Amino acid sequence: DAGVTQSPTHLIKTRGQQVTLRCSPKSGHDTVSWYQQALGQGPQFIFQYYEEEERQRGNFPDRFSGHQFPNYSSELNVNALLLGDSALYLCASSPRVGQPQHFGDGTRLSIL
Amino acid sequence: GQQVMQIPQYQHVQEGEDFTTYCNSSTTLSNIQWYKQRPGGHPVFLIQLVKSGEVKKQKRLTFQFGEAKKNSSLHITATQTTDVGTYFCTWNYGGSQGNLIFGKGTKLSVKP
């Protein structure tokens, strides 16, 4: 039973570029959340997807957008990358909203 | 707004010593969840506390939720090197259906 899988594991981009990160939830989970974790900080909630719609959103600008597919997998898109977007991006899934979340290993994004 | 503080921010212990981290909220929490993140790893769910005054144990770990549901603690008895990592208390923003808000965590190091 695979857990939450994310791709790619590492990514290097330059300022102004766009990036897409991908996540497959744990089997049986239909709710996906995305978090940004800067070095030495706790994860910060970006948004949550359920039934292919964005259900909740944290304090992140519109440059951050996402999508959930019918198979519950999800993408995180970030446009016009800034140096401050360098972080570990974590995807987490749960069997339903409000339940404990299972995290993937994350994508380490570096902006040059 | 809601303020939740986790203390201490860092804790260095000798192997075999006990360790406690505390979470204190300015408002009543619907529930609290604890996660552990090993260095270079992702957050892993440990426990969820829902009831006032609840105490739960997992081997050497004891979790408590205060009577007023405004504070929580995680106590580790006789720490081992495998306990190294950052321990986060988290809570659901916007009630039980809300998404996880992470505190800054307590980083535990254990000297063998």
Side-chain angles (χ1 to χ4, degrees):
Chain A
D1 178 23
V4 178
T5 57
Q6 291 186 243
S7 62
T9 54
H10 295 85
L11 203 51
I12 300 175
K13 291 284 188 178
T14 57
R15 282 180 296 174
Q17 285 190 311
Q18 177 266 343
V19 69
T20 297
L21 310 181
R22 296 177 174 81
C23 170
S24 291
K26 182 178 169 66
S27 178
H29 291 188
D30 60 7
T31 302
V32 174
S33 301
W34 287 91
Y35 295 81
Q36 179 195 66
Q37 186 174 24
L39 201 60
Q41 302 294 315
Q44 301 295 310
F45 171 66
I46 303 175
F47 42 54
Q48 179 191 66
Y49 277 84
Y50 172 66
E51 291 186 339
E52 301 179 50
E53 289 191 15
E54 182 182 296
R55 299 294 177 171
Q56 293 197 25
R57 190 178 182 90
N59 189 26
F60 279 79
D62 292 344
R63 298 186 297 109
F64 290 77
S65 63
H67 190 78
Q68 186 178 33
F69 299 93
N71 67 353
Y72 309 124
S73 66
S74 178
E75 288 181 350
L76 163 65
N77 302 292
V78 187
N79 295 322
L81 287 165
L82 303 173
L83 293 178
D85 295 331
S86 294
L88 178 67
Y89 287 85
L90 294 161
C91 172
S93 71
S94 59
R96 62 177 188 270
V97 173
Q99 291 298 299
Q101 299 185 8
H102 296 249
F103 285 80
D105 290 335
T107 293
R108 174 73 62 187
L109 176 63
S110 299
I111 310 301
L112 303 179
Chain B
Q2 186 175 55
Q3 299 267 349
V4 179
M5 300 294 294
Q6 188 173 356
I7 54 171
Q9 190 172 357
Y10 301 96
Q11 185 77 56
H12 308 282
V13 300
Q14 190 77 33
E15 189 172 22
E17 292 182 337
D18 292 357
F19 158 76
T20 305
T21 174
Y22 301 89
C23 247
N24 298 300
S25 171
S26 59
T27 59
T28 301
L29 301 171
S30 59
N31 67 69
I32 200 157
Q33 300 177 24
W34 286 90
Y35 286 77
K36 175 186 177 182
Q37 186 172 22
R38 293 180 186 272
H42 57 268
V44 174
F45 172 74
L46 295 176
I47 204 92
Q48 177 171 276
L49 304 171
V50 179
K51 299 177 183 177
S52 169
E54 190 169 16
V55 177
K56 287 188 177 180
K57 292 190 175 184
Q58 289 179 352
K59 297 182 180 178
R60 294 179 295 104
L61 278 60
T62 302
F63 304 84
Q64 292 188 322
F65 202 9
E67 293 289 343
K69 301 181 75 173
K70 287 186 176 182
N71 54 70
S72 181
S73 65
L74 158 59
H75 179 82
I76 302 179
T77 304
T79 54
Q80 300 174 358
T81 55
T82 54
D83 296 325
V84 164
T86 301
Y87 293 84
F88 293 98
C89 65
T90 70
W91 59 97
N92 292 109
Y93 174 76
S96 61
Q97 298 301 308
N99 249 286
L100 289 180
I101 305 297
F102 281 75
K104 293 189 176 182
T106 295
K107 187 173 182 179
L108 172 66
S109 62
V110 179
K111 187 175 181 181

